[in-house]
Amino acid sequence: MPNILIVEDDQEIAQLIRETLEREQFTCVVSNDGETGLRIFQEQAPDLIVLDLMLPKLDGLEVCTRIRQQPGSKDPYILMLTAKGEEIDRIIGLSTGADDYLVKPFSPRELVARVRALLRRQLRQGQPVGQIYRTSHFQVDLDQHQASRYQGDRQEELELTGLEFNLLATFMSYPGRVWNRGQLIEKLWGNDFFGDERVVDTHIRRLRKKIEPDPANPSFIKTVIGLGYKFEDPG
């Protein structure tokens, strides 16, 4: 079963979350501060993190940001918890790389539903194997799960998370096509998506930082105002 890290400083809430998820047969470990939570993430590479926003030592936003700055084979889903419900707090949480947002107080049933929806996304991210997409500056090998960028005669392997890899592959499979948020969610996550569509914007920004010469003025992944995003690589 998936491993879940719970980072929550309120011991009663942390225990409630742990007992709720363990009843669903998930394996859980608890940390009561952000610094320890970050260390456990580095040591144990959990599949999902339930992360409180307000934490001692390192707050949830900082923990989330640091996790997303460490690309690797394990890129956990992050469900952020907070007692605040204003729109701006959701935007800030998602902008740091959280995948979903749950406002306290919440019911155990809603918590389990959110966790299961996030974990089911792993089954939706696959692409057909044995296929290679190539453009002037990029190559994505679906079978080897490798993405490369070309600059002249030099080939550079890109360090992408699983979702960033699939997002780039989706764009390269239809160069020039305009994708709106809903279409990208359906392509990458399927019908099990449960959250704010603006999480797509967060992943676009992260991918741009890794492939664009100037992420603020993207050359490859372009915003089509009022419609969505498209990939262009004319050479």
Side-chain angles (χ1 to χ4, degrees):
M1 293 296 293
N3 297 312
I4 296 177
L5 169 61
I6 302 162
V7 189
E8 167 63 67
D9 63 322
D10 186 312
Q11 294 190 10
E12 290 186 5
I13 295 177
Q15 185 64 19
L16 172 64
I17 295 172
R18 180 172 193 162
E19 291 176 354
T20 298
L21 296 177
E22 287 184 342
R23 280 198 298 269
E24 300 296 321
Q25 305 303 310
F26 294 113
T27 301
C28 299
V29 61
V30 174
S31 168
N32 299 125
D33 67 80
E35 199 172 84
T36 304
L38 188 61
R39 177 177 56 79
I40 293 174
F41 156 73
Q42 294 167 336
E43 293 173 351
Q44 300 189 14
D47 299 285
L48 183 144
I49 301 175
V50 180
L51 179 63
D52 190 29
L53 183 62
M54 302 302 293
L55 291 167
K57 298 187 179 180
L58 288 177
D59 65 30
L61 294 179
E62 181 64 22
V63 172
C64 187
T65 299
R66 294 193 188 188
I67 288 172
R68 295 309 190 205
Q69 290 174 343
Q70 300 181 45
S73 58
K74 207 56 169 291
D75 186 35
Y77 292 111
I78 296 178
L79 174 61
M80 188 164 283
L81 305 178
T82 180
K84 302 176 182 179
E86 291 84 0
E87 181 80 3
I88 188 63
D89 295 305
R90 293 199 296 274
I91 292 173
I92 292 172
L94 292 171
S95 70
T96 62
D99 295 285
D100 200 0
Y101 198 93
L102 191 57
V103 178
K104 301 176 185 176
F106 51 84
S107 70
R109 179 179 297 181
E110 183 179 11
L111 171 67
V112 171
R114 296 290 184 103
V115 167
R116 288 198 179 279
L118 286 171
L119 291 171
R120 279 198 295 268
R121 295 182 192 180
Q122 293 179 350
L123 305 178
R124 300 286 186 172
Q125 293 178 6
Q127 297 281 354
V129 298
Q131 192 169 0
I132 295 176
Y133 297 132
R134 290 190 182 93
T135 62
S136 298
H137 294 89
F138 299 96
Q139 175 176 296
V140 167
D141 186 325
L142 300 181
D143 194 16
Q144 299 296 319
H145 206 271
Q146 293 179 341
S148 303
R149 176 172 52 194
Y150 295 92
Q151 295 179 321
D153 295 329
R154 186 166 63 90
Q155 178 181 357
E156 173 192 3
E157 187 168 342
L158 297 169
E159 292 187 0
L160 304 179
T161 66
L163 196 144
E164 290 164 356
F165 178 89
N166 289 328
L167 183 57
L168 179 59
T170 297
F171 279 129
M172 290 179 61
S173 68
Y174 294 96
R177 172 177 172 173
V178 178
W179 299 81
N180 62 36
R181 290 189 186 109
Q183 290 168 330
L184 289 171
I185 286 171
E186 173 62 25
K187 183 72 173 177
L188 297 174
W189 290 295
N191 295 326
D192 290 324
F193 181 81
F194 193 180
D196 193 320
E197 285 192 347
R198 285 170 298 189
V199 72
V200 171
D201 304 336
T202 299
H203 291 294
I204 294 286
R205 286 195 296 270
R206 291 171 57 195
L207 180 58
R208 280 173 169 165
K209 288 180 181 179
K210 295 182 180 181
I211 72 169
E212 298 281 1
D214 181 4
N217 297 285
S219 303
F220 305 113
I221 300 177
K222 298 184 178 180
T223 301
V224 182
I225 298 175
L227 295 176
Y229 300 97
K230 67 177 180 178
F231 175 82
E232 291 184 338
D233 188 6

